[in-house]
Amino acid sequence: MDLSLDAGPEIVAIPGPTVMPERVLAAIRHPMPDIYAGELTEVIDEVWAALPGIARTAGRVYVAIGNGHAGWEMALTNTLCRGDRVLVLECGRFATVWGEMASFNGIDVEVLYADRGRAVDPAAVAERLAADTEREIKAILTVQSDTASSIRNDIPAIRRALDEADHPALLMVDCIASMACEPYFMDDWGVDVTVSASQKGLMTPPGLGFVWAGPRALAAHERADLQTRYWDWTYRVEDGPYYLRFCGTPPVSHLFALRESLRMIDEEGMEARWARHRVLGAAVRAAVGAWSTDDGLALFAADPAERSDAVTLITTGSIDPAAISATCRERMGVTLGLGIGDFGPSFRIGHMGHVNAPMILGVLGSVEAALGAIGAPVGGSGVAAAAAVLADELRRG
Ligand SMILES: Cc1ncc(COP(=O)(O)O)c(C=O)c1O
């Protein structure tokens, strides 16, 4: 008989959808209310009041009943015109997919790739923008933290590249993996459009996309010609009827859940939340550093400053990642993220949202046990290295 150690709560450590807090789960279990007046309208008001602060903007927010892709499409179709050119800045996988969506909508897409294992190079962006003397590029599409590569781009540096070239393109940033996990200041950083979704740092079931729009995006909306009746921002204004804000019946259960998660974020405090993610991310990275061997485990993101605090991609060299993840899942009840994208044998650990130190130590301990069980070579104890990071951080703060 194969020994199984998986009875008890399962830990799902994929980079989204993430663990849902009990409070959020309980909030979903709410009978259907009137959708035109009463409690639901109070929920919607509270959600709308809180969402701009999450992205640190005074701009407008639009909520799509859909996933991150819905947010992407809403952002593109409300700000751009058929035949416009966009510059996609890719350091992983997701900016390219956003670009593919733009192509489908009749937008001309150019992709600027970062070096393998590195974030987008702001100097390369500046150079490309300076060469665009006809100002054909109407928008930059990029991702703050790419969930496939676990690389974080320097959004303020990309903004500076636009400013240096005195280029008017809109700056659009996908914060689907990073929102409420990593520091982000939409207005201070000069971002025109921010896109996120409910199922990662926002701890709410998949099904809501969010688009925050600053003044330049709203001005672009006036001339955009890609709107469809469903996604068009025109009728989705917060001083209009609640029903029209969603172009139909509101996503009632999601809204109750989201209100609860936004309350939890407020209670924890955004800075405290960013600090928690920073420390837990550092613990994961320290573990991988300790496990690393030649031709074995390694962090994919080459530069420490470019490593996401929400997710970590671990390349496995000659070790089979399927053997690690199967041992974790089937025998210890821990689900890891598979590697996606063109990064070779790999797996991912999500450390975003409703996660704490014992969950992370449990995941790391399970990976370490799996590595031992399959006879994979490791440099040293990742768990010890992670605990040392936590001890050091706890001592300091
Ligand atoms: C960075 C990033 N952008 C976009 C998406 C797409 O979001 P969705 O799957 O909700 O459509 C994901 C999903 O994992 C993501 O991680």
Side-chain angles (χ1 to χ4, degrees), residues 160-247:
R160 283 195 294 279
L162 277 149
D163 293 343
E164 273 163 32
D166 194 23
H167 199 291
L170 295 173
L171 177 56
M172 302 201 195
V173 181
D174 167 330
C175 295
I176 289 172
S178 55
M179 186 59 73
C181 302
E182 309 195 70
Y184 185 73
F185 299 90
M186 176 168 167
D187 288 358
D188 288 355
W189 291 357
V191 177
D192 299 299
V193 175
T194 301
V195 180
S196 193
S198 49
Q199 74 271 20
K200 300 193 195 244
L202 297 178
M203 309 178 294
T204 302
L208 297 178
F210 306 103
V211 184
W212 291 265
R216 296 178 71 242
L218 295 173
H221 178 245
E222 297 300 315
R223 28 173 215 282
D225 70 5
L226 287 170
Q227 293 104 324
T228 60
R229 176 62 189 86
Y230 186 65
W231 291 133
D232 193 345
W233 286 343
T234 309
Y235 310 96
R236 291 176 170 255
V237 286
E238 57 205 83
D239 40 5
Y242 293 98
Y243 187 83
L244 291 188
R245 227 182 281 184
F246 302 95
C247 195

Side-chain angles (χ1 to χ4, degrees), residues 13 17 23 118 146 166 173 178 224 235 240 256 276 328 352 381 389:
R23 279 174 61 179
R118 295 298 311 274
D146 188 286
D166 194 23
V173 181
S178 55
Y235 310 96
F256 277 99
R276 172 166 59 83
C328 283
M352 53 176 69
S381 171
V389 166

Side-chain angles (χ1 to χ4, degrees), residues 15-16 67-70 72 94 143 145-148 174 176-177 197 199-200:
N67 49 20
H69 282 71
W72 276 348
F94 284 97
V143 175
S145 280
D146 188 286
T147 326
D174 167 330
I176 289 172
Q199 74 271 20
K200 300 193 195 244

Side-chain angles (χ1 to χ4, degrees), residues 52-127:
I54 298 294
R56 296 285 157 99
T57 181
R60 275 185 182 272
V61 63
Y62 300 94
V63 177
I65 304 174
N67 49 20
H69 282 71
W72 276 348
E73 184 150 298
M74 187 193 244
L76 296 170
T77 55
N78 275 288
T79 56
L80 295 168
C81 298
R82 190 168 300 281
D84 276 355
R85 170 168 293 202
V86 299
L87 182 64
V88 168
L89 309 180
E90 182 59 278
C91 70
R93 174 183 163 86
F94 284 97
T96 308
V97 186
W98 193 5
E100 284 166 8
M101 179 165 267
S103 281
F104 266 90
N105 280 288
I107 294 164
D108 180 19
V109 175
E110 178 180 332
V111 186
L112 188 65
Y113 292 95
D115 290 342
R116 189 177 170 80
R118 295 298 311 274
V120 167
D121 176 8
V125 179
E127 195 182 328

Side-chain angles (χ1 to χ4, degrees), residues 17 20 23-33 35 40 43-44 46-48 51 63-68 197-200 202-210 246 249-263:
M20 255 192 295
R23 279 174 61 179
V24 174
L25 278 168
I28 295 170
R29 202 183 171 285
H30 192 288
M32 286 303 114
I35 59 167
L40 181 69
V43 172
I44 295 173
E46 189 174 331
V47 161
W48 248 261
L51 280 174
V63 177
I65 304 174
N67 49 20
S198 49
Q199 74 271 20
K200 300 193 195 244
L202 297 178
M203 309 178 294
T204 302
L208 297 178
F210 306 103
F246 302 95
T249 304
V252 175
S253 307
H254 277 79
L255 289 167
F256 277 99
L258 179 63
R259 176 176 67 168
E260 200 58 34
S261 81
L262 292 172
R263 284 180 175 176

